[in-house]
């Protein structure tokens, strides 16, 4: 077993990127009440936020087959109604 993230942050759902060299995951790293999406290399380097918003929580990231986008559930505020969003991994732009 290899520990990729070596801190006390709460890592939620994790998924492999199609190239096998990286992972995408949701985590409450930046905000205790909102989860964001992150990407990291399997060796633990290159950790970067890909979707962070103080008003929206992101869950269940799944990469597209070509690895260019992530689809995820997004919930605004305390809403129980979510949206499906696409996040471009290059620009980090999210769209419904």
């Amino acid at each position: 077993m290899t520990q990729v993230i070596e801190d006390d942050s709460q890592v939620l759902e994790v998924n492999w990127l199609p190239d096998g060299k990286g992972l995408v995951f949701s985590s409450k790293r930046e905000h205790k009440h909102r989860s964001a999406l992150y990407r990291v290399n399997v060796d633990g380097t290159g950790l970067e936020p890909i979707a962070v918003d103080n008003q929206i929580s992101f869950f269940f990231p799944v990469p597209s087959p070509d690895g260019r986008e992530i689809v995820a559930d997004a919930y605004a505020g305390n809403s129980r109604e979510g949206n499906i969003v696409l996040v471009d991994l290059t620009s980090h732009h999210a769209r419904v």
Side-chain angles (χ1 to χ4, degrees), residues 2 5-7 16 18-19 21 35-36 38-39 43-44 51 55 58 64 68-69 81 84 87 91-92 94:
T2 301
I5 303 293
E6 295 185 16
D7 60 25
W16 285 97
D19 65 6
K21 297 178 182 177
S35 61
Y38 298 86
R39 171 175 41 191
D43 65 1
Q55 302 300 315
F58 297 93
S64 61
R68 294 182 183 177
E69 294 181 304
E81 293 185 26
I84 296 173
V87 181
S91 69
H92 300 182

Side-chain angles (χ1 to χ4, degrees), residues 13-67:
E13 303 85 17
V14 179
N15 226 320
W16 285 97
L17 288 169
D19 65 6
K21 297 178 182 177
L23 305 166
V24 291
F25 62 95
S26 60
S27 175
K28 294 182 178 181
R29 303 177 70 77
E30 312 253 340
H31 193 287
K32 288 183 180 181
H33 303 291
R34 299 279 176 255
S35 61
L37 300 180
Y38 298 86
R39 171 175 41 191
V40 67
N41 297 323
V42 295
D43 65 1
T45 63
L47 176 65
E48 69 173 320
I50 55 174
V52 177
D53 189 304
N54 288 335
Q55 302 300 315
I56 298 173
S57 285
F58 297 93
F59 298 98
F60 307 108
V62 177
S64 61
D66 64 8

